[in-house]
Amino acid sequence: MFSLGDLYKEVIIDHTKAPRNFGKLEPCSHDAEGFNPLCGDQLHVYLEINKDNIIEDVKFEGQGCSISTASASLMTQVLKGKSVDEFNALFGAFHDMATADMNDEPDEEVLGKLAVLAGVKEFPSRIKCATLCWHTVKSAIEDAGEPAKTE
Amino acid sequence: MNIDNIRNDFPTLHQEVFGHPLVYLDNAATTQKPQCVIDTIKHYYEKDNSNIHRGVHSLSERATKNYEAARETIRSFFNAKSTKEVIFTRGTTESINLVASSWGNQNIGKDDEILISHMEHHSNIVPWQMLCERTGAKLKIIPMNEAGELDLNAYTALLSVRTKLVGIVHMSNALGTINPIEGMIKQAHEVGAKVLIDGAQAAAHIETDIQALNIDFYATSAHKMYGPTGVGVLIAKEELLNVMPPYQGGGDMILMVTFEKTQYNELPHKFEAGTPNIAGVIGFGAALKYIQDIGFTAIKKREKKLLDYATKKAQAFEGLRQIGTAKHKACVLSFVLDGVHPHDLGTILDREGVAIRAGHHCAMPVMQFYKVPATARASFSIYNTEAEVDALFEALAKARDMFA
């Protein structure tokens, strides 16, 4: 049985208490808001994407639980310097990890330190917390104009 | 009232969650169901399953008899004047929508005002917003104070001849506040307004006498009263229902249909289109009989003791801030804990077997008022015990330690 410790690893608690890249990025080339209507989590991500489609900088603001805050914090660390294509690949890998079977090991080669969030797959009600920031970045890049939702 | 006997009536309570005995403290979302309600529904499907009101065979006659007997149980429980005033719906939300659509479309114009309170849940906000959008009427909000009590002076000031409807929750699901509806109804009637009481949260905890309170429209749900989900009731004054147009068309709501004209059925059938939730209605009746057997005197005494016990523990718990501290409240302990988001609390407590609600409780304006994104909410019922309150606070201490 997965224990609470599998979800609330030390790294997650650390990022909850001191989220990295927290704040507003001004000016920025892309931004979007994300909501999780079920629990009231709110997120705003800011991206600076250069003409070569490289994410030069990324920041986030918002209110949310420890899983959504830590996930956004870790995501911003990983995304800096990555191309938009690489983001899309990571988005898919992260989504797969969060919704995988219990016995599937996360692909640490692709996911790197994001694999620390693999525990959410055993907490179905928390998967949306972890994926909200990824949906929000996707909507910023696609310039959807509508807030991202996890519904 | 013997708590062990009561607990034995509820099969769901006797199970383990992650190796801990279940501590179910999410009763404001939905209550557990006693064996008598489960048996009643089972009996209907095993022995009486049949459509009502038109079958000429025995099963249909039995089903119809039991369905209409439940209507009488509900009439008597809330002391409505007649079973004609008892309309079955899918729940509180549909009951309010019925009033907003049927009565609202007929009676609300662009200079009119609808008054609701700051502590309403979305079901008693959105249908009125939609009505205002359709008609150009104004929605006005009765403010509340920090304790979560309505500002009655402001209410008096807001009332005017333009007020056509006042919609208030009897007991707040997010705060536990019990509103002084008796005086509020009198005041509304003095300016000629009708009153809708949202009884979803209160109905299982405090008695509501619809005639004594002179309530025009009353909405509630079975599933918060130990009954099944998907069924509820609108109780409204016969003279209002008589002139209201039907809400939905088809099924039992007609007397005669030609392609030129439909003659509507009489009350209460006029508002019960289609095949209703027959088993649900019969189960609803059984649930109310269960509550009547225990009696509100015993229920209120027991639940008050439990809430007092939990409130004392909450006040002594470091870093805990209660949301909703009204003088008159029942059964709800809503709170935030320093450094731990309510959603994380929900998960951590669940692993200790303690089921609470974390979120905005479909009352986002309440959250905005307290400037919190969400709260954790423990809500109690007749079957909860002091030992379960202890388990809640032990689990909360664990959560606090994890994030310390």
Side-chain angles (χ1 to χ4, degrees):
Chain A
M1 188 178 79
F2 270 64
S3 72
L4 275 178
D6 293 315
L7 182 64
Y8 294 108
K9 293 193 171 109
E10 245 175 76
V11 182
I12 305 229
I13 304 271
D14 174 48
H15 277 261
T16 305
K17 288 182 178 168
R20 323 298 200 262
N21 303 305
F22 193 83
K24 204 168 180 175
L25 186 63
E26 262 182 335
C28 67
S29 62
H30 296 69
D31 76 307
E33 280 189 277
F35 295 108
N36 190 343
L38 277 183
C39 56
D41 284 0
Q42 288 179 25
L43 189 74
H44 199 138
V45 298
Y46 306 88
L47 297 151
E48 182 57 35
I49 301 176
N50 69 19
K51 58 180 169 31
D52 300 320
N53 265 341
I54 303 292
I55 300 167
E56 283 189 344
D57 205 356
V58 48
K59 284 192 158 200
F60 79 102
E61 286 181 323
Q63 284 182 318
C65 64
S66 104
I67 303 303
S68 78
T69 306
S71 182
S73 173
L74 284 157
M75 177 194 73
T76 55
Q77 283 190 316
V78 169
L79 287 189
K80 268 192 210 179
K82 294 261 189 318
S83 71
V84 168
D85 285 346
E86 284 172 305
F87 162 77
N88 284 327
L90 272 173
F91 179 96
F94 189 85
H95 189 267
D96 289 349
M97 172 184 80
T99 54
D101 284 344
M102 194 169 84
N103 297 324
D104 290 353
E105 289 297 321
D107 186 347
E108 292 198 31
E109 226 169 278
V110 178
L111 289 160
K113 60 177 155 187
L114 297 174
V116 75
L117 279 156
V120 293
K121 66 189 175 192
E122 264 311 286
F123 296 78
S125 63
R126 306 308 299 277
I127 291 168
K128 287 172 177 178
C129 308
T131 55
L132 177 64
C133 59
W134 290 87
H135 286 282
T136 312
V137 167
K138 197 171 181 15
S139 117
I141 290 173
E142 288 167 0
D143 206 14
E146 292 249 324
K149 279 182 292 206
T150 48
E151 293 299 284
Chain B
M1 156 175 176
N2 181 318
I3 187 73
D4 291 332
N5 290 349
I6 300 260
R7 288 184 68 81
N8 282 336
D9 291 336
F10 291 84
T12 37
L13 297 178
H14 307 281
Q15 60 178 300
E16 291 196 341
V17 172
F18 298 112
H20 302 277
L22 167 68
V23 174
Y24 185 78
L25 300 177
D26 195 17
N27 296 289
T30 198
T31 53
Q32 298 303 333
K33 318 306 173 198
Q35 193 66 52
C36 62
V37 169
I38 298 166
D39 288 345
T40 300
I41 294 168
K42 188 167 174 272
H43 179 90
Y44 167 77
Y45 280 123
E46 281 180 354
K47 304 281 182 198
D48 298 340
N49 176 51
S50 193
N51 212 329
I52 51 168
H53 291 153
R54 38 190 162 260
V56 288
H57 51 80
S58 301
L59 266 58
S60 176
E61 279 165 13
R62 289 207 297 261
T64 305
K65 189 175 128 262
N66 292 336
Y67 181 88
E68 291 303 330
R71 201 190 300 275
E72 169 52 27
T73 303
I74 286 146
R75 184 211 63 74
S76 123
F77 187 92
F78 293 107
N79 193 29
K81 207 181 241 169
S82 141
T83 49
K84 288 183 181 172
E85 300 186 329
V86 178
I87 315 286
F88 290 118
T89 62
R90 283 189 296 133
T92 307
T93 302
E94 191 181 53
S95 297
I96 297 173
N97 276 280
L98 193 166
V99 177
S101 291
S102 170
W103 180 87
N105 285 358
Q106 197 177 44
N107 290 281
I108 298 295
K110 84 170 173 37
D111 296 322
D112 294 335
E113 292 175 359
I114 292 167
L115 216 52
I116 60 171
S117 89
H118 201 119
M119 66 177 77
E120 299 309 316
H121 73 144
H122 300 161
S123 296
N124 202 23
I125 302 173
V126 184
W128 306 117
Q129 274 175 343
M130 290 162 74
L131 177 64
C132 288
E133 273 169 32
R134 288 198 296 276
T135 58
K138 264 204 194 77
L139 191 65
K140 296 209 160 175
I141 312 299
I142 309 160
M144 64 178 179
N145 64 20
E146 196 60 33
E149 294 161 334
L150 292 183
D151 180 339
L152 296 176
N153 292 327
Y155 172 59
T156 307
L158 281 166
L159 282 170
S160 78
V161 288
R162 285 188 298 277
T163 315
K164 288 290 174 314
L165 183 111
V166 177
I168 1 170
V169 68
H170 195 171
M171 172 181 157
S172 157
N173 71 322
L175 305 168
T177 308
I178 298 168
N179 286 319
I181 58 169
E182 190 171 359
M184 294 180 80
I185 293 168
K186 279 195 186 120
Q187 275 186 281
H189 285 159
E190 277 164 22
V191 299
K194 302 287 180 242
V195 180
L196 179 138
I197 298 296
D198 174 346
Q201 208 57 61
H205 307 288
I206 33 179
E207 65 270 63
T208 305
D209 182 325
I210 284 179
Q211 286 187 77
L213 289 163
N214 199 10
I215 295 170
D216 299 296
F217 299 106
Y218 181 81
T220 196
S221 297
H223 75 96
K224 292 189 204 255
M225 311 180 72
Y226 314 106
T229 57
V231 63
V233 72
L234 169 71
I235 303 176
K237 287 180 180 162
E238 192 177 343
E239 65 262 32
L240 294 169
L241 290 170
N242 268 333
V243 289
M244 279 161 58
Y247 173 55
Q248 290 170 336
D252 250 4
M253 56 74 71
I254 54 103
L255 270 188
M256 199 191 64
V257 175
T258 66
F259 285 115
E260 287 71 42
K261 190 175 164 50
T262 294
Q263 201 183 342
Y264 303 128
N265 203 341
E266 58 190 27
L267 288 175
H269 312 295
K270 182 168 99 174
F271 291 100
E272 290 178 6
T275 297
N277 183 352
I278 302 165
V281 163
I282 295 171
F284 190 2
L288 295 197
K289 280 193 175 147
Y290 182 79
I291 295 178
Q292 277 169 330
D293 283 349
I294 300 172
F296 275 115
T297 311
I299 290 173
K300 286 197 288 191
K301 193 174 153 202
R302 169 83 205 127
E303 290 182 347
K304 185 180 181 309
K305 214 173 139 212
L306 205 57
L307 181 69
D308 288 348
Y309 184 74
T311 305
K312 266 202 196 107
K313 287 211 135 188
Q315 282 163 350
F317 197 89
E318 208 188 311
L320 185 149
R321 174 189 165 208
Q322 269 196 76
I323 303 291
T325 48
K327 264 190 228 82
H328 297 288
K329 65 175 282 190
C331 290
V332 171
L333 188 76
S334 208
F335 59 92
V336 290
L337 195 59
D338 281 351
V340 194
H341 191 279
H343 215 177
D344 294 310
L345 280 179
T347 296
I348 297 164
L349 266 53
D350 179 47
R351 293 281 152 153
E352 301 292 322
V354 181
I356 59 155
R357 176 77 182 267
H360 51 61
H361 319 298
C362 293
M364 288 175 101
V366 174
M367 303 298 120
Q368 287 149 11
F369 178 86
Y370 289 101
K371 299 184 177 62
V372 294
T375 75
R377 179 187 69 189
S379 49
F380 309 103
S381 222
I382 39 169
Y383 40 65
N384 291 125
T385 64
E386 276 81 356
E388 290 182 312
V389 175
D390 292 342
L392 163 72
F393 282 95
E394 277 161 30
L396 284 176
K398 275 194 187 169
R400 189 176 54 188
D401 291 346
M402 270 178 80
F403 282 84

